Amino acid sequence: MLTNLWWYFYYSWLHGMLKWALRITTGKCELERICSSRPAGAERTKAVECSLSHSRVVALKNALASDNLNTSDAADNIIILKSVNVDKNPSFRPAILQCLEQIGGYQRLVSSVTSLQKEKYSTGREDHEEQLMKLWRLLKPGVSLERRKTKQWGDLGFQGEDPATDFRGMGILGLQNLLYFAENYNAAAVKVLSDSHHPKFGYSFAVVGINLTSLVVDLLCERHLRSHFYNSTSGEPALMDFHKVYCCVFCEFNQFWFAEEPETVMEFSRILEMYRNTLLERLKQPKVTITSKFIED
């Protein structure tokens, strides 16, 4: 309660006074000071994001409000509104433009990912079915399916004869993540699938993979992945970048699972929560990027 009151007082009164004093003494607005004193990446972009969100100028706040923001126009508007002399500070526009592309790109990525999550898997969609068949071919090369609905799907860790039922929670996104993993990092995906068949510590590959999609979506929507994307992409993060995070998380969780040596698969929820907390701590680091030694471009 006291902490909230302090921040309210700070941003309502002290912050504005401090910005005015620094503007007078340095001749630069807050955004200029951020862009000139902080390195490109999460440290700079999150500071710009914070400055814009607390601005009393509506036009500046609007720079964070739209998924369809024209970042070039927004950068020019900031220069005009903040009276930035780009002749004296030519590095400001490219720096603020990069920050705006990352901020706006993150918001658009959230929209794209949640849209795919809401798109239900349909057995009547030829493209959906083809993606599912491709997943089988990539993970079980040389092995033919006896029929569309078969217990063979259990070899990939699906719960029943029809994998479509397992995608209900995450929609087509759950399948696309698995497919991206199998298609782009096939050796790693096949290894994780093989590990999942361990006689003592085995788990359901596909079901766990869909649960990990849920985890990564939550991290994205709760803004915990901002530092990773601001550090790992120089501009707007794309859906492919989200898929890569998923692949790294899957490889990491696989190692984490075996390190815990669970008594039964019923310990999955507990171990997943432990892994989530560990990952959240890492994501608090300003220079964090999510990588895996098994996932290399």
Side-chain angles (χ1 to χ4, degrees):
M1 182 64 178
L2 289 175
T3 301
N4 291 337
L5 286 172
W6 158 249
W7 285 116
Y8 173 78
F9 177 70
Y10 174 76
Y11 281 110
S12 297
W13 300 96
L14 291 181
H15 186 61
M17 294 172 63
L18 180 61
K19 286 202 302 181
W20 175 81
L22 289 172
R23 177 73 186 243
I24 295 299
T25 56
T26 66
K28 295 180 179 180
C29 69
E30 183 177 50
L31 291 172
E32 282 184 279
R33 296 193 300 272
I34 291 170
C35 289
S36 63
S37 65
R38 306 191 184 205
E43 185 178 350
R44 178 192 291 171
T45 301
K46 291 177 81 171
V48 166
E49 197 169 18
C50 181
S51 177
L52 292 173
S53 67
H54 289 99
S55 176
R56 295 181 181 181
V57 181
V58 175
L60 294 181
K61 278 194 171 184
N62 287 342
L64 302 177
S66 174
D67 287 349
N68 299 314
L69 176 71
N70 184 313
T71 53
S72 182
D73 288 348
D76 290 335
N77 287 338
I78 288 172
I79 289 169
I80 293 169
L81 289 168
K82 304 305 290 184
S83 302
V84 177
N85 188 331
V86 291
D87 291 328
K88 289 185 177 180
N89 188 2
S91 63
F92 177 75
R93 191 182 188 281
I96 196 69
L97 181 60
Q98 182 184 52
C99 291
L100 292 172
E101 287 175 346
Q102 290 181 319
I103 294 166
Y106 190 94
Q107 293 173 180
R108 285 186 287 276
L109 181 59
V110 171
S111 296
S112 298
V113 166
T114 53
S115 178
L116 287 171
Q117 178 192 359
K118 293 173 184 175
E119 182 181 334
K120 295 180 179 179
Y121 183 94
S122 173
T123 55
R125 287 273 302 266
E126 185 177 340
D127 58 330
H128 288 186
E129 288 285 278
E130 174 52 31
Q131 289 177 63
L132 181 60
M133 294 302 111
K134 189 174 184 180
L135 179 67
W136 174 268
R137 292 194 297 271
L138 288 166
L139 293 178
K140 301 292 289 184
V143 180
S144 299
L145 283 171
E146 298 169 354
R147 51 189 175 275
R148 168 59 180 78
K149 293 183 180 182
T150 170
K151 292 182 179 179
Q152 284 178 283
W153 288 112
D155 294 343
L156 297 190
F158 289 103
Q159 296 182 95
E161 295 188 358
D162 187 359
T165 60
D166 289 326
F167 294 121
R168 287 173 183 167
M170 286 292 109
I172 194 63
L173 180 65
L175 173 56
Q176 288 190 359
N177 267 343
L178 286 169
L179 181 57
Y180 187 92
F181 189 23
E183 187 169 21
N184 292 275
Y185 305 105
N186 186 258
V190 169
K191 178 188 181 304
V192 173
L193 174 60
S194 176
D195 289 346
S196 74
H197 288 289
H198 190 279
K200 184 176 181 181
F201 304 126
Y203 57 84
S204 299
F205 174 86
V207 172
V208 167
I210 293 168
N211 275 275
L212 292 175
T213 288
S214 178
L215 169 62
V216 180
V217 169
D218 287 346
L219 293 175
L220 179 75
C221 293
E222 293 166 7
R223 295 159 55 86
H224 295 301
L225 293 180
R226 286 182 303 152
S227 290
H228 163 78
F229 284 123
Y230 295 166
N231 286 327
S232 62
T233 59
S234 59
E236 180 173 335
L239 184 60
M240 175 185 68
D241 299 308
F242 174 82
H243 289 318
K244 286 182 180 178
V245 170
Y246 168 81
C247 296
C248 291
V249 165
F250 207 151
C251 288
E252 269 195 359
F253 178 78
N254 182 60
Q255 288 185 299
F256 193 89
W257 173 265
F258 281 95
E260 289 300 312
E261 299 185 349
E263 291 293 328
T264 71
V265 75
M266 298 302 291
E267 292 192 66
F268 173 73
S269 294
R270 178 185 66 82
I271 293 175
L272 180 62
E273 185 62 22
M274 288 174 59
Y275 173 71
R276 175 191 170 90
N277 292 335
T278 300
L279 185 55
L280 281 171
E281 285 302 310
R282 282 172 51 205
L283 290 170
K284 292 177 182 178
Q285 302 300 316
K287 295 183 179 181
V288 66
T289 55
I290 299 174
T291 59
S292 170
K293 64 181 181 180
F294 299 107
I295 304 297
E296 297 178 357
D297 292 323

mmCIF file of all heavy atoms in Angstrom, residues 38-82:
data_model
loop_
_atom_site.group_PDB
_atom_site.id
_atom_site.type_symbol
_atom_site.label_atom_id
_atom_site.label_comp_id
_atom_site.label_asym_id
_atom_site.label_seq_id
_atom_site.Cartn_x
_atom_site.Cartn_y
_atom_site.Cartn_z
ATOM 1 N N ARG A 38 21.645 4.820 -22.779
ATOM 2 C CA ARG A 38 21.421 3.390 -22.566
ATOM 3 C C ARG A 38 21.651 2.601 -23.853
ATOM 4 O O ARG A 38 21.288 3.057 -24.933
ATOM 5 C CB ARG A 38 20.003 3.135 -22.044
ATOM 6 C CG ARG A 38 19.699 3.950 -20.793
ATOM 7 C CD ARG A 38 18.435 3.516 -20.126
ATOM 8 N NE ARG A 38 18.130 4.387 -18.988
ATOM 9 C CZ ARG A 38 17.396 4.033 -17.946
ATOM 10 N NH1 ARG A 38 16.903 2.798 -17.883
ATOM 11 N NH2 ARG A 38 17.170 4.870 -16.964
ATOM 12 N N PRO A 39 22.225 1.411 -23.738
ATOM 13 C CA PRO A 39 22.486 0.610 -24.941
ATOM 14 C C PRO A 39 21.198 0.076 -25.548
ATOM 15 O O PRO A 39 20.184 -0.077 -24.859
ATOM 16 C CB PRO A 39 23.354 -0.534 -24.407
ATOM 17 C CG PRO A 39 22.946 -0.671 -22.967
ATOM 18 C CD PRO A 39 22.654 0.725 -22.501
ATOM 19 N N ALA A 40 21.244 -0.189 -26.851
ATOM 20 C CA ALA A 40 20.086 -0.770 -27.530
ATOM 21 C C ALA A 40 19.728 -2.106 -26.893
ATOM 22 O O ALA A 40 20.602 -2.859 -26.466
ATOM 23 C CB ALA A 40 20.392 -0.947 -29.017
ATOM 24 N N GLY A 41 18.449 -2.372 -26.813
ATOM 25 C CA GLY A 41 17.976 -3.608 -26.198
ATOM 26 C C GLY A 41 16.941 -3.326 -25.147
ATOM 27 O O GLY A 41 16.340 -2.237 -25.110
ATOM 28 N N ALA A 42 16.725 -4.274 -24.268
ATOM 29 C CA ALA A 42 15.661 -4.169 -23.275
ATOM 30 C C ALA A 42 15.834 -2.970 -22.358
ATOM 31 O O ALA A 42 14.857 -2.305 -22.000
ATOM 32 C CB ALA A 42 15.582 -5.449 -22.454
ATOM 33 N N GLU A 43 17.078 -2.687 -21.968
ATOM 34 C CA GLU A 43 17.305 -1.580 -21.040
ATOM 35 C C GLU A 43 16.782 -0.273 -21.615
ATOM 36 O O GLU A 43 16.108 0.502 -20.931
ATOM 37 C CB GLU A 43 18.797 -1.464 -20.722
ATOM 38 C CG GLU A 43 19.110 -0.412 -19.664
ATOM 39 C CD GLU A 43 20.593 -0.331 -19.329
ATOM 40 O OE1 GLU A 43 21.350 -1.220 -19.768
ATOM 41 O OE2 GLU A 43 20.976 0.628 -18.636
ATOM 42 N N ARG A 44 17.076 -0.019 -22.894
ATOM 43 C CA ARG A 44 16.631 1.221 -23.529
ATOM 44 C C ARG A 44 15.142 1.185 -23.844
ATOM 45 O O ARG A 44 14.405 2.122 -23.518
ATOM 46 C CB ARG A 44 17.429 1.482 -24.802
ATOM 47 C CG ARG A 44 16.973 2.744 -25.552
ATOM 48 C CD ARG A 44 17.568 2.817 -26.945
ATOM 49 N NE ARG A 44 19.002 3.054 -26.886
ATOM 50 C CZ ARG A 44 19.800 2.993 -27.954
ATOM 51 N NH1 ARG A 44 19.298 2.667 -29.143
ATOM 52 N NH2 ARG A 44 21.096 3.233 -27.840
ATOM 53 N N THR A 45 14.687 0.118 -24.471
ATOM 54 C CA THR A 45 13.311 0.067 -24.950
ATOM 55 C C THR A 45 12.299 0.077 -23.809
ATOM 56 O O THR A 45 11.262 0.735 -23.882
ATOM 57 C CB THR A 45 13.103 -1.171 -25.841
ATOM 58 O OG1 THR A 45 14.014 -1.106 -26.943
ATOM 59 C CG2 THR A 45 11.678 -1.226 -26.388
ATOM 60 N N LYS A 46 12.596 -0.636 -22.726
ATOM 61 C CA LYS A 46 11.680 -0.631 -21.577
ATOM 62 C C LYS A 46 11.656 0.734 -20.890
ATOM 63 O O LYS A 46 10.613 1.159 -20.374
ATOM 64 C CB LYS A 46 12.051 -1.739 -20.597
ATOM 65 C CG LYS A 46 11.774 -3.134 -21.144
ATOM 66 C CD LYS A 46 12.211 -4.238 -20.203
ATOM 67 C CE LYS A 46 11.202 -4.485 -19.127
ATOM 68 N NZ LYS A 46 11.517 -5.704 -18.339
ATOM 69 N N ALA A 47 12.782 1.436 -20.903
ATOM 70 C CA ALA A 47 12.814 2.788 -20.330
ATOM 71 C C ALA A 47 11.993 3.744 -21.191
ATOM 72 O O ALA A 47 11.262 4.602 -20.667
ATOM 73 C CB ALA A 47 14.253 3.277 -20.218
ATOM 74 N N VAL A 48 12.082 3.626 -22.507
ATOM 75 C CA VAL A 48 11.261 4.433 -23.417
ATOM 76 C C VAL A 48 9.784 4.119 -23.204
ATOM 77 O O VAL A 48 8.938 5.020 -23.144
ATOM 78 C CB VAL A 48 11.671 4.183 -24.889
ATOM 79 C CG1 VAL A 48 10.616 4.741 -25.851
ATOM 80 C CG2 VAL A 48 13.033 4.797 -25.177
ATOM 81 N N GLU A 49 9.484 2.831 -23.077
ATOM 82 C CA GLU A 49 8.109 2.381 -22.857
ATOM 83 C C GLU A 49 7.548 2.982 -21.569
ATOM 84 O O GLU A 49 6.402 3.461 -21.533
ATOM 85 C CB GLU A 49 8.101 0.851 -22.782
ATOM 86 C CG GLU A 49 6.759 0.199 -22.964
ATOM 87 C CD GLU A 49 6.887 -1.300 -23.130
ATOM 88 O OE1 GLU A 49 7.952 -1.874 -22.771
ATOM 89 O OE2 GLU A 49 5.932 -1.908 -23.619
ATOM 90 N N CYS A 50 8.351 2.985 -20.521
ATOM 91 C CA CYS A 50 7.926 3.547 -19.235
ATOM 92 C C CYS A 50 7.716 5.048 -19.349
ATOM 93 O O CYS A 50 6.722 5.591 -18.846
ATOM 94 C CB CYS A 50 8.977 3.230 -18.172
ATOM 95 S SG CYS A 50 8.569 3.826 -16.524
ATOM 96 N N SER A 51 8.620 5.726 -20.030
ATOM 97 C CA SER A 51 8.507 7.178 -20.193
ATOM 98 C C SER A 51 7.236 7.543 -20.951
ATOM 99 O O SER A 51 6.502 8.458 -20.554
ATOM 100 C CB SER A 51 9.734 7.715 -20.938
ATOM 101 O OG SER A 51 9.618 9.107 -21.164
ATOM 102 N N LEU A 52 6.957 6.840 -22.044
ATOM 103 C CA LEU A 52 5.761 7.129 -22.836
ATOM 104 C C LEU A 52 4.482 6.833 -22.052
ATOM 105 O O LEU A 52 3.507 7.581 -22.133
ATOM 106 C CB LEU A 52 5.781 6.307 -24.131
ATOM 107 C CG LEU A 52 6.854 6.676 -25.156
ATOM 108 C CD1 LEU A 52 6.866 5.672 -26.302
ATOM 109 C CD2 LEU A 52 6.641 8.090 -25.696
ATOM 110 N N SER A 53 4.489 5.745 -21.282
ATOM 111 C CA SER A 53 3.279 5.363 -20.545
ATOM 112 C C SER A 53 2.932 6.355 -19.444
ATOM 113 O O SER A 53 1.772 6.464 -19.045
ATOM 114 C CB SER A 53 3.440 3.955 -19.955
ATOM 115 O OG SER A 53 4.429 3.946 -18.942
ATOM 116 N N HIS A 54 3.930 7.087 -18.927
ATOM 117 C CA HIS A 54 3.683 8.044 -17.855
ATOM 118 C C HIS A 54 3.643 9.489 -18.353
ATOM 119 O O HIS A 54 3.548 10.417 -17.547
ATOM 120 C CB HIS A 54 4.751 7.913 -16.754
ATOM 121 C CG HIS A 54 4.628 6.662 -15.955
ATOM 122 N ND1 HIS A 54 5.404 5.548 -16.182
ATOM 123 C CD2 HIS A 54 3.787 6.323 -14.934
ATOM 124 C CE1 HIS A 54 5.084 4.593 -15.332
ATOM 125 N NE2 HIS A 54 4.102 5.031 -14.568
ATOM 126 N N SER A 55 3.711 9.653 -19.658
ATOM 127 C CA SER A 55 3.677 11.007 -20.215
ATOM 128 C C SER A 55 2.300 11.633 -20.036
ATOM 129 O O SER A 55 1.267 10.958 -20.126
ATOM 130 C CB SER A 55 4.035 10.975 -21.702
ATOM 131 O OG SER A 55 3.905 12.257 -22.262
ATOM 132 N N ARG A 56 2.286 12.932 -19.802
ATOM 133 C CA ARG A 56 1.020 13.653 -19.692
ATOM 134 C C ARG A 56 0.525 14.122 -21.059
ATOM 135 O O ARG A 56 -0.574 14.663 -21.173
ATOM 136 C CB ARG A 56 1.185 14.854 -18.766
ATOM 137 C CG ARG A 56 1.506 14.464 -17.319
ATOM 138 C CD ARG A 56 1.643 15.675 -16.423
ATOM 139 N NE ARG A 56 1.972 15.288 -15.061
ATOM 140 C CZ ARG A 56 2.129 16.144 -14.058
ATOM 141 N NH1 ARG A 56 1.998 17.454 -14.281
ATOM 142 N NH2 ARG A 56 2.433 15.717 -12.853
ATOM 143 N N VAL A 57 1.344 13.906 -22.090
ATOM 144 C CA VAL A 57 0.968 14.280 -23.452
ATOM 145 C C VAL A 57 0.230 13.102 -24.084
ATOM 146 O O VAL A 57 0.800 12.029 -24.280
ATOM 147 C CB VAL A 57 2.211 14.645 -24.290
ATOM 148 C CG1 VAL A 57 1.787 15.061 -25.707
ATOM 149 C CG2 VAL A 57 3.000 15.762 -23.611
ATOM 150 N N VAL A 58 -1.041 13.315 -24.392
ATOM 151 C CA VAL A 58 -1.888 12.230 -24.897
ATOM 152 C C VAL A 58 -1.303 11.613 -26.159
ATOM 153 O O VAL A 58 -1.315 10.388 -26.341
ATOM 154 C CB VAL A 58 -3.316 12.741 -25.158
ATOM 155 C CG1 VAL A 58 -4.168 11.646 -25.799
ATOM 156 C CG2 VAL A 58 -3.949 13.217 -23.864
ATOM 157 N N ALA A 59 -0.776 12.442 -27.045
ATOM 158 C CA ALA A 59 -0.229 11.942 -28.309
ATOM 159 C C ALA A 59 0.937 10.978 -28.080
ATOM 160 O O ALA A 59 1.145 10.049 -28.858
ATOM 161 C CB ALA A 59 0.223 13.107 -29.180
ATOM 162 N N LEU A 60 1.693 11.199 -27.003
ATOM 163 C CA LEU A 60 2.801 10.301 -26.689
ATOM 164 C C LEU A 60 2.289 8.980 -26.117
ATOM 165 O O LEU A 60 2.796 7.905 -26.447
ATOM 166 C CB LEU A 60 3.764 10.960 -25.712
ATOM 167 C CG LEU A 60 4.535 12.180 -26.232
ATOM 168 C CD1 LEU A 60 5.472 12.712 -25.165
ATOM 169 C CD2 LEU A 60 5.317 11.829 -27.494
ATOM 170 N N LYS A 61 1.291 9.070 -25.251
ATOM 171 C CA LYS A 61 0.687 7.845 -24.712
ATOM 172 C C LYS A 61 0.080 6.997 -25.819
ATOM 173 O O LYS A 61 0.104 5.765 -25.765
ATOM 174 C CB LYS A 61 -0.376 8.191 -23.673
ATOM 175 C CG LYS A 61 0.176 8.486 -22.293
ATOM 176 C CD LYS A 61 -0.930 8.486 -21.266
ATOM 177 C CE LYS A 61 -0.354 8.571 -19.857
ATOM 178 N NZ LYS A 61 -1.384 8.482 -18.825
ATOM 179 N N ASN A 62 -0.467 7.668 -26.847
ATOM 180 C CA ASN A 62 -1.096 6.940 -27.950
ATOM 181 C C ASN A 62 -0.095 6.105 -28.729
ATOM 182 O O ASN A 62 -0.476 5.184 -29.458
ATOM 183 C CB ASN A 62 -1.804 7.913 -28.896
ATOM 184 C CG ASN A 62 -3.076 8.481 -28.290
ATOM 185 O OD1 ASN A 62 -3.607 7.924 -27.325
ATOM 186 N ND2 ASN A 62 -3.562 9.576 -28.837
ATOM 187 N N ALA A 63 1.179 6.441 -28.585
ATOM 188 C CA ALA A 63 2.213 5.654 -29.265
ATOM 189 C C ALA A 63 2.257 4.220 -28.753
ATOM 190 O O ALA A 63 2.804 3.334 -29.406
ATOM 191 C CB ALA A 63 3.580 6.315 -29.087
ATOM 192 N N LEU A 64 1.667 3.980 -27.579
ATOM 193 C CA LEU A 64 1.636 2.632 -27.000
ATOM 194 C C LEU A 64 0.277 1.966 -27.137
ATOM 195 O O LEU A 64 0.119 0.809 -26.768
ATOM 196 C CB LEU A 64 1.988 2.695 -25.509
ATOM 197 C CG LEU A 64 3.342 3.290 -25.125
ATOM 198 C CD1 LEU A 64 3.472 3.333 -23.610
ATOM 199 C CD2 LEU A 64 4.473 2.486 -25.723
ATOM 200 N N ALA A 65 -0.702 2.710 -27.653
ATOM 201 C CA ALA A 65 -2.086 2.248 -27.563
ATOM 202 C C ALA A 65 -2.570 1.426 -28.747
ATOM 203 O O ALA A 65 -3.529 0.675 -28.624
ATOM 204 C CB ALA A 65 -3.020 3.445 -27.364
ATOM 205 N N SER A 66 -1.931 1.548 -29.901
ATOM 206 C CA SER A 66 -2.476 0.940 -31.113
ATOM 207 C C SER A 66 -1.608 -0.194 -31.630
ATOM 208 O O SER A 66 -0.378 -0.091 -31.675
ATOM 209 C CB SER A 66 -2.628 2.007 -32.207
ATOM 210 O OG SER A 66 -3.011 1.427 -33.425
ATOM 211 N N ASP A 67 -2.272 -1.275 -32.052
ATOM 212 C CA ASP A 67 -1.558 -2.382 -32.696
ATOM 213 C C ASP A 67 -1.129 -2.003 -34.109
ATOM 214 O O ASP A 67 -0.248 -2.640 -34.685
ATOM 215 C CB ASP A 67 -2.460 -3.624 -32.769
ATOM 216 C CG ASP A 67 -2.634 -4.285 -31.414
ATOM 217 O OD1 ASP A 67 -1.911 -3.925 -30.475
ATOM 218 O OD2 ASP A 67 -3.527 -5.156 -31.295
ATOM 219 N N ASN A 68 -1.784 -0.986 -34.691
ATOM 220 C CA ASN A 68 -1.510 -0.581 -36.069
ATOM 221 C C ASN A 68 -0.715 0.712 -36.127
ATOM 222 O O ASN A 68 -0.845 1.498 -37.063
ATOM 223 C CB ASN A 68 -2.839 -0.413 -36.822
ATOM 224 C CG ASN A 68 -3.635 -1.709 -36.875
ATOM 225 O OD1 ASN A 68 -3.082 -2.765 -37.179
ATOM 226 N ND2 ASN A 68 -4.912 -1.642 -36.567
ATOM 227 N N LEU A 69 0.095 0.960 -35.130
ATOM 228 C CA LEU A 69 0.874 2.187 -35.043
ATOM 229 C C LEU A 69 1.850 2.301 -36.215
ATOM 230 O O LEU A 69 2.563 1.360 -36.539
ATOM 231 C CB LEU A 69 1.653 2.203 -33.727
ATOM 232 C CG LEU A 69 2.608 3.374 -33.510
ATOM 233 C CD1 LEU A 69 1.823 4.654 -33.273
ATOM 234 C CD2 LEU A 69 3.533 3.094 -32.321
ATOM 235 N N ASN A 70 1.857 3.457 -36.873
ATOM 236 C CA ASN A 70 2.863 3.761 -37.882
ATOM 237 C C ASN A 70 4.082 4.294 -37.134
ATOM 238 O O ASN A 70 4.104 5.444 -36.692
ATOM 239 C CB ASN A 70 2.330 4.802 -38.873
ATOM 240 C CG ASN A 70 3.315 5.076 -40.002
ATOM 241 O OD1 ASN A 70 4.502 5.280 -39.780
ATOM 242 N ND2 ASN A 70 2.800 5.072 -41.228
ATOM 243 N N THR A 71 5.080 3.452 -36.966
ATOM 244 C CA THR A 71 6.209 3.809 -36.101
ATOM 245 C C THR A 71 7.023 4.979 -36.649
ATOM 246 O O THR A 71 7.550 5.787 -35.881
ATOM 247 C CB THR A 71 7.125 2.593 -35.882
ATOM 248 O OG1 THR A 71 7.491 2.034 -37.155
ATOM 249 C CG2 THR A 71 6.422 1.533 -35.052
ATOM 250 N N SER A 72 7.106 5.095 -37.975
ATOM 251 C CA SER A 72 7.853 6.201 -38.563
ATOM 252 C C SER A 72 7.171 7.526 -38.255
ATOM 253 O O SER A 72 7.828 8.502 -37.843
ATOM 254 C CB SER A 72 7.975 6.010 -40.082
ATOM 255 O OG SER A 72 8.733 7.067 -40.663
ATOM 256 N N ASP A 73 5.842 7.565 -38.423
ATOM 257 C CA ASP A 73 5.097 8.788 -38.097
ATOM 258 C C ASP A 73 5.176 9.089 -36.603
ATOM 259 O O ASP A 73 5.291 10.256 -36.204
ATOM 260 C CB ASP A 73 3.629 8.635 -38.518
ATOM 261 C CG ASP A 73 3.447 8.671 -40.032
ATOM 262 O OD1 ASP A 73 4.417 9.039 -40.733
ATOM 263 O OD2 ASP A 73 2.342 8.328 -40.494
ATOM 264 N N ALA A 74 5.107 8.034 -35.785
ATOM 265 C CA ALA A 74 5.167 8.228 -34.334
ATOM 266 C C ALA A 74 6.515 8.816 -33.917
ATOM 267 O O ALA A 74 6.580 9.700 -33.057
ATOM 268 C CB ALA A 74 4.929 6.910 -33.618
ATOM 269 N N ALA A 75 7.591 8.332 -34.542
ATOM 270 C CA ALA A 75 8.924 8.865 -34.233
ATOM 271 C C ALA A 75 9.005 10.345 -34.602
ATOM 272 O O ALA A 75 9.540 11.164 -33.839
ATOM 273 C CB ALA A 75 9.992 8.073 -34.977
ATOM 274 N N ASP A 76 8.447 10.695 -35.762
ATOM 275 C CA ASP A 76 8.456 12.098 -36.190
ATOM 276 C C ASP A 76 7.617 12.961 -35.255
ATOM 277 O O ASP A 76 7.992 14.102 -34.948
ATOM 278 C CB ASP A 76 7.936 12.216 -37.626
ATOM 279 C CG ASP A 76 8.908 11.625 -38.646
ATOM 280 O OD1 ASP A 76 10.117 11.558 -38.345
ATOM 281 O OD2 ASP A 76 8.452 11.226 -39.733
ATOM 282 N N ASN A 77 6.479 12.433 -34.802
ATOM 283 C CA ASN A 77 5.630 13.186 -33.866
ATOM 284 C C ASN A 77 6.345 13.439 -32.546
ATOM 285 O O ASN A 77 6.230 14.511 -31.949
ATOM 286 C CB ASN A 77 4.321 12.423 -33.613
ATOM 287 C CG ASN A 77 3.382 12.474 -34.800
ATOM 288 O OD1 ASN A 77 3.492 13.373 -35.644
ATOM 289 N ND2 ASN A 77 2.477 11.518 -34.882
ATOM 290 N N ILE A 78 7.082 12.430 -32.073
ATOM 291 C CA ILE A 78 7.840 12.595 -30.824
ATOM 292 C C ILE A 78 8.888 13.692 -30.984
ATOM 293 O O ILE A 78 9.070 14.536 -30.097
ATOM 294 C CB ILE A 78 8.493 11.258 -30.419
ATOM 295 C CG1 ILE A 78 7.416 10.284 -29.908
ATOM 296 C CG2 ILE A 78 9.562 11.474 -29.345
ATOM 297 C CD1 ILE A 78 7.929 8.883 -29.669
ATOM 298 N N ILE A 79 9.564 13.686 -32.113
ATOM 299 C CA ILE A 79 10.587 14.705 -32.373
ATOM 300 C C ILE A 79 9.983 16.102 -32.341
ATOM 301 O O ILE A 79 10.560 17.041 -31.765
ATOM 302 C CB ILE A 79 11.275 14.430 -33.729
ATOM 303 C CG1 ILE A 79 12.151 13.178 -33.612
ATOM 304 C CG2 ILE A 79 12.102 15.631 -34.181
ATOM 305 C CD1 ILE A 79 12.666 12.655 -34.942
ATOM 306 N N ILE A 80 8.799 16.247 -32.929
ATOM 307 C CA ILE A 80 8.131 17.559 -32.953
ATOM 308 C C ILE A 80 7.634 17.934 -31.567
ATOM 309 O O ILE A 80 7.890 19.046 -31.079
ATOM 310 C CB ILE A 80 6.956 17.533 -33.958
ATOM 311 C CG1 ILE A 80 7.489 17.379 -35.389
ATOM 312 C CG2 ILE A 80 6.112 18.806 -33.838
ATOM 313 C CD1 ILE A 80 6.417 17.078 -36.419
ATOM 314 N N LEU A 81 6.924 17.015 -30.916
ATOM 315 C CA LEU A 81 6.326 17.320 -29.610
ATOM 316 C C LEU A 81 7.374 17.594 -28.532
ATOM 317 O O LEU A 81 7.137 18.404 -27.629
ATOM 318 C CB LEU A 81 5.428 16.154 -29.176
ATOM 319 C CG LEU A 81 4.127 15.981 -29.967
ATOM 320 C CD1 LEU A 81 3.489 14.638 -29.652
ATOM 321 C CD2 LEU A 81 3.157 17.120 -29.660
ATOM 322 N N LYS A 82 8.512 16.914 -28.620
ATOM 323 C CA LYS A 82 9.552 17.086 -27.603
ATOM 324 C C LYS A 82 10.645 18.064 -28.047
ATOM 325 O O LYS A 82 11.640 18.230 -27.344
ATOM 326 C CB LYS A 82 10.179 15.735 -27.238
ATOM 327 C CG LYS A 82 9.190 14.671 -26.773
ATOM 328 C CD LYS A 82 8.329 15.140 -25.606
ATOM 329 C CE LYS A 82 9.097 15.283 -24.330
ATOM 330 N NZ LYS A 82 8.226 15.645 -23.180
#
